[in-house]
Amino acid sequence: MSSTIALNREAKHDYFIEERFEAGIVLEGWEVKSLRAGRLNLKDSYVIVKEGELWLLGAHVSPLLTASTHIHPDPTRTRKLLMHREQINRMIGSVERKGFTIVPLAMYWKQGRAKTEIALVKGKQEHDKRATIKDREWQRDKARIMKGGSRNY
């Protein structure tokens, strides 16, 4: 069983990833059950800084049908991220002074607790995205040539 709950593949395509961090996340009981079932979507989610704390917005946790009747789950509620104060201050400095954005890259289980991998990123222009795709395709073609070329001898 994989410990990865969800990946944000779009982030690697849309941004230059500068620095990665691991953050804990504050969850409600029904959210933990949904995460165990893998019902999480990180697409279009991002992290904001509010009053010196980090908050995850736009992450969609689909509630299970068996959720309790006396709670009303909010799938896209704002969730608090937990990190050391020094790390938060460093991220705030990068966001405010250097123009970085913070996005979640993945969510996974670590020793029974849900962790979020977040990263300081800069946006890619359209020509940067095309260059990345071109490089990736060349690497794939090169690997195919090397693999196929050694068998012909």
Side-chain angles (χ1 to χ4, degrees):
M1 183 176 139
S2 173
S3 63
T4 303
I5 302 167
L7 295 172
N8 186 358
R9 289 190 175 93
E10 200 173 86
K12 291 181 178 125
H13 181 260
D14 291 344
Y15 303 102
F16 290 114
I17 297 169
E18 299 294 327
E19 194 172 358
R20 297 169 187 253
F21 297 91
E22 180 180 81
I25 185 166
V26 177
L27 297 170
E28 293 178 357
W30 68 269
E31 292 172 321
V32 176
K33 285 184 171 185
S34 294
L35 291 181
R36 291 212 183 277
R39 300 176 64 121
L40 171 69
N41 186 357
L42 290 174
K43 187 179 176 186
D44 299 328
S45 60
Y46 57 98
V47 177
I48 62 164
V49 178
K50 187 172 159 188
E51 296 174 14
E53 296 177 333
L54 298 177
W55 297 87
L56 178 63
L57 278 77
H60 191 278
V61 179
S62 303
L64 295 173
L65 298 174
T66 57
S68 179
T69 55
H70 65 273
I71 60 161
H72 301 288
D74 178 11
T76 56
R77 79 176 183 90
T78 303
R79 296 168 182 91
K80 185 176 179 179
L81 295 177
L82 308 170
M83 293 178 73
H84 290 285
R85 172 60 45 204
E86 304 85 52
Q87 289 179 314
I88 293 173
N89 289 341
R90 201 161 94 217
M91 291 183 90
I92 290 171
S94 295
V95 168
E96 290 177 352
R97 287 190 278 288
K98 298 177 188 166
F100 284 100
T101 306
I102 308 171
V103 295
L105 299 179
M107 195 174 287
Y108 52 91
W109 296 107
K110 186 175 180 183
Q111 298 175 350
R113 290 182 165 80
K115 300 289 182 179
T116 307
E117 182 182 18
I118 59 176
L120 286 170
V121 298
K122 283 229 187 220
K124 280 187 184 178
Q125 301 292 324
E126 194 61 39
H127 62 86
D128 293 329
K129 293 179 189 177
R130 284 194 292 268
T132 303
I133 292 169
K134 192 174 176 184
D135 289 343
R136 185 174 58 228
E137 288 177 354
W138 167 241
Q139 292 299 327
R140 191 179 305 134
D141 290 344
K142 193 165 63 171
R144 191 178 301 129
I145 291 167
M146 295 298 283
K147 184 178 175 186
S150 62
R151 268 190 269 128
N152 293 339
Y153 293 2

